[in-house]
Structure formats: structure tokens, C-alpha cells
Amino acid sequence: MKIAAIHAREINMQLIAPFETSFGVTHHRRILLLEVCSEDGASGWGEVTAAEGPFYNSETTDTAWIVLRNFLAPLLVGKTIETPEETLHYMAPVRGHEMAKAGLECAVWDLMAKCQSTSLSQLLGGTRAEISSGVSLGIHEDIGKLLDRIAQELAAGYQRVKLKIKPGKDVEVVSAVRNRFPDIALTVDANSAYRLTDTALLKKLDAFNLTYIEQPLEWNEIYQHSKLQRQLETRICLDECIHNLRDAQAAIELGACKVINIKLGRVCGHAAARKMQDYCMGHGVPVWSGGMLEAGVGRAHNIAMSSLPGFVLPGDVSASKRYWEEDIIVPPVEVSAQGTIRVPDSPGIGFEVNKRRVEKLTVREEEWTATRSAGGVPVGAS
Ligand code: OSB
Ligand code: MG
């Protein structure tokens, strides 16, 4: 299959409610959508999960656009691809920029699946017809409102609740939630807000029977987590500092975590995610799908990934309506009363991209073709 063009669009979308983490508040999203087109007119969709600012990781919507436009697209357009795994190989000269690469890699997987008239889940080797869904709840000023919100999510069927925490919004909040909901599957996510010197405070969380504590320490630091894990009863789940299979291997060997959150964007796409979950499964480390406040395309890719056998814990992949007035895919992602999402079996990601809605939300678009990139990597090209 020859990649003829890449159509890039930036869409802007308002979140239904602001989402607060230890590193900031998000009100609206600036999302890059990538449509990879083959010579014969078929296309596949990917979503770049970089955030607006470099506060979760170092990428942003704008850095992804530049790197895609000037470096990644030229490496891919005009190439003939037999298997989706080759996509990463072509993009290998570019270091880092995992989320930008993943946007393209995921689009190629969708395209390949469509060309083979098979579902993305099936092409990946997924084994689940439905996946388990949990919710990630932002930091709330008011504990009463947080408790009400949790009650509402549990009533909707969600199987696990994850609370964002930060210094000053931790033990007291978790204690109140545990008191009110003694039996629910409960986790916390610090997004790197603590240091090893906070060990005594973090040990207090051992009292609340949490399924895990997500990314308590530095975003780029595995070793410190191994020191912390030795002192905690609660399992550590790493998110920010796992970028590839080697990071996962190092973290597991060092005892830095006992659970891993896999995000397609952070690990460079489906091929890498699949290898990681396989390795983790072989080492008794449960994994689950994280989320990055994705629109429908990213959400659909997360669902397909979560159908792989290593994804044994509920993910942060929840219903479209928790985020958006109207999603960009049809049908929107829906969650059953049992807290599950059905894995589509129609071709590709299994959801239709609502082009009319996408057009309405688009603030910039460009098409990158082979002609423009003829001559290889246009370093510094504009
Ligand atoms: O750490 O998992 C995270 C959102 C933005 C950046 C980082 C994270 C998150 C979430 C939200 O937890 C997950 C979601 O509902 O998409
Ligand atoms: Mg996280």
C-alpha cells in the first residue's frame, strides 16, 4: 500500500467541564487529527494526544504540528508499506516526539485494517469483545461535590474511580472518598507532584486499599520510583516515565512499579503498545489504557488497544458524553450499565468520523503530499 498524502487538521473542542490535574487545568482542547490517504483513495485516522502545553510531557499541539509537517510526513509520504509496523521504521530518524509519531502510526493501522476489511482490534490480535471502563476525576475544590460526582459515575456503571491528587489535596480527600465508598476499586494519580522526600506522606495512602498509586514522582525518573516502591505497600503504576518497551523492562526489573498505564501517544503507537502489554503479561504486571482527554478518534484507538489480552485492569477510556457535547465520531463511545465498552467489529477503528462536525471544528488544515517532500528529509524546510 502506498501512502499518497497526509491530511492534517487542528480542531478545537470545549470540554464539558474543566479537568484539573497537579500540573494545571484544561478547559478546551486543541487536537490534531491525521488522515493518512492511500493511493487508491482509502484513508485511516489518527489523533495526536499531545496537550496544549508541555506540562504532562514535552510535546504540545504546536510542536507536533511542526515535527509532523517538516520531518515525519516527508519520511512517510510516497512510501509503500506492507505492514503497519513499518511505519515506525520509516520515522525512526526522528528522536522523541512519540505522540506526533503515534498519530501517524495509528492512522496507518486504521487504514490497513480498512483495506483488509477487518477490525483494528482483530488486526492487532485483540481477544476481548468488550473492555472495562473506569473514570479519571480531576482535582475538586469541594470534597462534597467530588463525592456526589463519584456517586454519579458509579451509578452510571463505571468499574473504577481514579482521583487526581496533589500536595494539599491528597490524604484527606482519599480518606473522605474511602469512608463514603468502602468497597469500590479506587486509585490515585499524582502526575509527578511528589518527591522521594514525601515518602512518609505517601505511606499514609497505604491505609486506603488503593489498587495503585499512579506516577507519584518525577516524570522522567524510574530509579526514584524503585526506592519508593520498596517502602510502600500500595502498588506503584507508572505513566509519564514509560516511553517504550525498554523503559517498561527497566522499571519492572528495578521494582519501580507493579502496574503500567499504557498510552498510545506516549509509547509511539499500537506496535509498541502491543509489545509492552505482551512483555508485561509475561512478567505478571497488569496494564491498562490511560487517556489524554481524547476526542473520538483517539478514544476509538484506545478501545482497540484495550482489547489485547494484557489489558486486565479498567482503563481511563470512558463515554464520549463525559467530555463532549458532541463527539467527532458516530456513534459516540457509550458505556454499558456494567461499565463496559463494546469493541467494534466493523472495519478499522469501527466508528465513522463525522466529517461535517470535524470541518466545523477545524481551525487549520494542510495536506502533505509526496511532491512536497520529494528529495528526502527537508531539514529546516518551511
Ligand atoms: O495522567 O492519566 C493522566 C489527562 C491528561 C493528562 C494526563 C492524564 C489525564 C487523565 C485523564 O487522567 C484521562 C481521560 O479521562 O482521558
Ligand atoms: Mg496518569
Side-chain angles (χ1 to χ4, degrees):
M1 185 187 66
K2 187 166 170 181
I3 310 276
I6 296 163
H7 196 130
R9 300 172 176 88
E10 178 185 332
I11 58 169
N12 288 3
M13 288 178 90
Q14 187 76 32
L15 283 169
I16 277 180
F19 187 80
E20 180 171 351
T21 66
S22 63
F23 57 78
V25 188
T26 306
H27 296 267
H28 72 272
R29 298 284 341 274
R30 294 179 55 209
I31 294 169
L32 295 190
L33 293 178
L34 300 173
E35 186 182 8
V36 172
C37 309
S38 71
E39 221 170 17
D40 51 12
S43 75
W45 289 80
E47 180 173 328
V48 177
T49 61
E52 296 66 38
F55 311 118
Y56 163 80
N57 67 347
S58 62
E59 296 184 78
T60 72
T61 313
D62 290 311
T63 66
W65 182 277
I66 294 290
V67 168
L68 281 157
R69 180 181 192 277
N70 292 353
F71 302 100
L72 296 173
L75 288 170
L76 208 56
V77 282
K79 295 294 192 307
T80 299
I81 285 180
E82 300 298 333
T83 67
E85 286 90 340
E86 290 165 37
T87 317
L88 268 192
H89 164 76
Y90 284 119
M91 298 190 290
V94 174
R95 294 183 181 176
H97 299 283
E98 291 87 358
M99 289 175 166
K101 289 180 182 173
L104 281 178
E105 201 255 13
C106 287
V108 170
W109 276 94
D110 179 35
L111 174 58
M112 278 285 184
K114 280 173 178 151
C115 289
Q116 297 175 23
S117 298
T118 185
S119 71
L120 175 56
S121 164
Q122 200 163 13
L123 188 62
L124 288 167
T127 53
R128 292 168 208 283
E130 55 177 36
I131 64 164
S132 300
S133 184
V135 291
S136 173
L137 297 179
I139 293 165
H140 282 57
E141 251 332 292
D142 182 322
I143 294 186
K145 286 198 179 124
L146 173 62
L147 295 174
D148 290 346
R149 181 78 192 281
I150 295 171
Q152 188 190 325
E153 305 286 12
L154 293 170
Y158 287 103
Q159 296 185 11
R160 150 313 242 146
V161 171
K162 159 171 145 183
L163 308 173
K164 291 289 188 180
I165 58 167
K166 67 176 181 182
K169 286 272 177 194
D170 42 42
V171 178
E172 192 195 344
V173 177
V174 178
S175 170
V177 171
R178 196 35 115 195
N179 262 329
R180 167 86 183 272
F181 305 101
D183 302 318
I184 63 169
L186 186 65
T187 76
V188 296
D189 185 359
N191 288 111
S192 308
Y194 299 88
R195 296 295 168 260
L196 197 55
T197 47
D198 297 314
T199 299
L201 185 149
L202 292 167
K203 276 165 78 86
K204 291 188 186 162
L205 294 172
D206 277 340
F208 304 113
N209 188 26
L210 302 174
T211 311
Y212 50 79
I213 299 175
E214 188 177 340
Q215 194 70 37
L217 308 181
E218 287 89 338
W219 68 279
N220 55 356
E221 175 56 60
I222 293 174
Y223 181 58
Q224 299 282 316
H225 280 101
S226 75
K227 291 190 177 177
L228 178 63
Q229 180 68 89
R230 267 180 252 137
Q231 302 174 71
L232 291 185
E233 271 165 48
T234 310
R235 296 185 287 183
I236 291 176
C237 169
L238 289 178
D239 174 353
E240 276 88 333
C241 60
I242 305 296
H243 297 101
N244 49 51
L245 180 61
R246 284 172 286 105
D247 286 343
Q249 290 168 334
I252 291 168
E253 271 187 35
L254 281 169
C257 67
K258 295 176 178 165
V259 178
I260 290 181
N261 164 342
I262 298 185
K263 290 180 179 169
L264 277 169
R266 204 192 64 233
V267 307
C268 245
H270 283 297
R274 185 169 63 182
K275 277 190 208 150
M276 275 176 65
Q277 63 88 40
D278 191 52
Y279 178 86
C280 289
M281 204 170 34
H283 288 75
V285 172
V287 308
W288 54 279
S289 169
M292 289 295 294
L293 309 173
E294 288 95 341
V297 170
R299 206 163 289 281
H301 278 284
N302 289 341
I303 293 170
M305 173 181 77
S306 304
S307 72
L308 290 166
F311 286 77
V312 294
L313 291 173
D316 280 347
V317 187
S318 56
S320 297
K321 68 175 182 197
R322 293 188 62 250
Y323 305 81
W324 319 113
E325 207 70 66
E326 185 189 353
D327 206 337
I328 58 167
I329 53 167
V330 190
V333 173
E334 280 170 354
V335 171
S336 74
Q338 290 73 45
T340 58
I341 297 173
R342 200 186 69 82
V343 178
D345 49 19
S346 42
I349 56 175
F351 294 84
E352 209 60 55
V353 175
N354 181 346
K355 281 264 189 100
R356 198 179 37 81
R357 173 105 180 111
V358 167
E359 263 162 42
K360 226 170 96 184
L361 299 168
T362 297
V363 295
R364 62 170 157 171
E365 62 186 309
E366 249 174 51
E367 185 154 78
W368 302 318
T369 60
T371 340
R372 189 183 158 264
S373 63
V377 186
V379 177
S382 59

